Amino acid sequence: MTKKDIVVMSAWQYSGAVLINNYFAISSALFASMTLPIIIPLALMFILKFVGSMLTRYLLNSVYKKDFAH
């Protein structure tokens, strides 16, 4: 694994670990009053995790390209 791979993986993990945990731990009290299925916000979180990692990969390959040159 290169440093670039580690940064992308960290961005992928960081973006959703706390968000998903808080969704089930704190928001579970509100599940009864939600008007949409529980899976829709969860699916949106997972989709945005991948969008965030793709954005991070793009930024590393364009803006921060010199930081990872060997």
Side-chain angles (χ1 to χ4, degrees):
M1 288 188 84
T2 64
K3 287 183 182 181
K4 196 182 295 187
D5 294 335
I6 292 171
V7 171
V8 171
M9 188 62 162
S10 298
W12 189 79
Q13 288 289 340
Y14 183 73
S15 67
V18 174
L19 182 65
I20 294 170
N21 185 32
N22 285 341
Y23 177 68
F24 284 113
I26 297 171
S27 301
S28 62
L30 302 174
F31 284 165
S33 65
M34 288 177 66
T35 58
L36 62 141
I38 297 169
I39 195 73
I40 291 175
L42 185 63
L44 182 64
M45 286 183 228
F46 278 111
I47 291 169
L48 291 177
K49 279 181 69 141
F50 286 102
V51 170
S53 66
M54 287 187 287
L55 179 65
T56 302
R57 189 173 291 122
Y58 170 75
L59 288 173
L60 290 177
N61 288 330
S62 61
V63 178
Y64 298 105
K65 190 174 190 173
K66 292 181 183 178
D67 291 344
F68 293 99
H70 295 287

